[in-house]
């Protein structure tokens, strides 16, 4: 792997805007051999089952569809070919813990950001690789960690919305923390009038403010992207707060009033969520998981085979 700079044209405006506004940056990661189709195919073939998600979504303009499946016995190249025929995306989660090449790239990327943005740090970070169909989409959602989207191949359109009400409310963040589901927050078509719409090409990266809702549409070609997420002390404290306030709201029927991430009230919430987060009630609230209900067809690439429903 080369050790050239990750960011090709970083300037002072990017340092000022990082994490405050959506910004599009130029990067060089798409040139790395680790992102060749041969290497991605081999990665798919060896990827641990518990660390990937294969998702089928509805077409643009259709009602929301979200099904999860498995790749079956297809080769990596066959999986990519099946995805190219529509309606699917594969998320290789936490690839930075599976393959050192991607960990090194992301480490270097965040080191460059830290050198450019005063006060920025990302002591905890990870990344995943998304391979998605020409017509695939990611529904409106928000994330608790800091986020970035790195385009490797193909073109996509990203809609980034303000991280303020009505687009995202404190109770939405609480629900994400408590129920561990990001895509169930409300969305209305008129929200698009207030979104920043940014097209990404290979060699471009998008960063946006913390908790900003967003959705993504592919633009007619197979896409390969890398998602990065990061946590620092303030983000970690905010995650603790959202979980604790969600517990207060759903478990005890109390509407939280404080959203401070320091001080006595925060300390009390920190202790409470630590005591309750591994308990039966939280596990029950998180127990509803989408079943694995299809696999890729081995004889007709691009088709899926429904799996029998569990008894």
């Amino acid at each position: 792997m080369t050790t050239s700079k990750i960011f090709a044209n970083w300037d002072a405006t990017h340092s000022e805007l990082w994490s405050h506004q959506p910004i599009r940056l130029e990067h060089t990661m798409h040139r790395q051999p680790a992102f060749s189709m041969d290497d991605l195919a081999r990665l798919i073939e060896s990827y641990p089952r518990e660390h990937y998600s294969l998702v089928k979504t509805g077409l643009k303009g259709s009602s929301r569809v979200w099904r999860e499946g498995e790749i079956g016995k297809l080769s990596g190249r066959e999986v990519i070919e099946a995805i190219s025929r529509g309606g699917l995306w594969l998320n290789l989660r936490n690839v930075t813990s599976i393959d050192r090449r991607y960990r090194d790239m992301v480490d270097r990327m965040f080191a460059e950001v830290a050198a450019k943005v005063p006060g920025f740090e990302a002591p905890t970070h990870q990344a995943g690789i998304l391979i998605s169909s020409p017509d695939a989409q990611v529904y409106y959602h928000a994330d608790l960690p800091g986020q970035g989207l790195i385009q490797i191949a193909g073109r996509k359109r990203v809609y980034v919305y303000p991280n303020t009400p009505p687009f995202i409310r404190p109770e939405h963040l609480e629900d994400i923390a408590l129920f561990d589901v990001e895509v169930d927050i409300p969305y209305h078509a008129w929200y698009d009038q207030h979104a920043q719409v940014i097209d990404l090409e290979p060699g471009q990266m998008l960063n946006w403010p913390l908790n900003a809702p967003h959705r993504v549409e592919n633009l007619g070609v197979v896409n390969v992207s890398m998602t990065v997420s990061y946590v620092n002390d303030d983000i970690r404290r905010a995650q603790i707060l959202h979980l604790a306030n969600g517990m207060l709201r759903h478990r005890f029927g109390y509407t939280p009033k404080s959203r401070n991430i320091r001080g006595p009230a925060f300390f009390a919430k920190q202790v409470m969520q630590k005591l309750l987060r591994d308990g039966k009630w939280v596990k029950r609230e998180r127990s509803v998981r989408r079943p694995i209900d299809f696999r890729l067809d081995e004889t007709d690439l691009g088709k899926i085979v429904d799996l029998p429903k569990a008894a």
Side-chain angles (χ1 to χ4, degrees), residues 251-263:
R251 180 70 175 86
F252 301 106
Y254 174 78
T255 301
K257 296 181 175 60
S258 171
R259 295 185 176 86
N260 294 327
I261 60 172
R262 287 176 173 81

Side-chain angles (χ1 to χ4, degrees), residues 32-49:
Q32 294 290 343
F35 284 116
S36 71
M37 285 301 167
D38 285 340
D39 278 44
L40 289 173
R42 285 191 288 269
L43 181 67
I44 292 169
E45 291 171 357
S46 63
Y47 217 74
R49 178 63 191 90

Side-chain angles (χ1 to χ4, degrees), residues 82-89 131-136 218 221-223:
I83 290 171
S84 76
R85 300 190 184 187
L88 296 163
W89 53 265
I131 304 172
S132 51
S133 299
D135 57 356
N218 285 359
V221 290
V222 174
N223 274 240

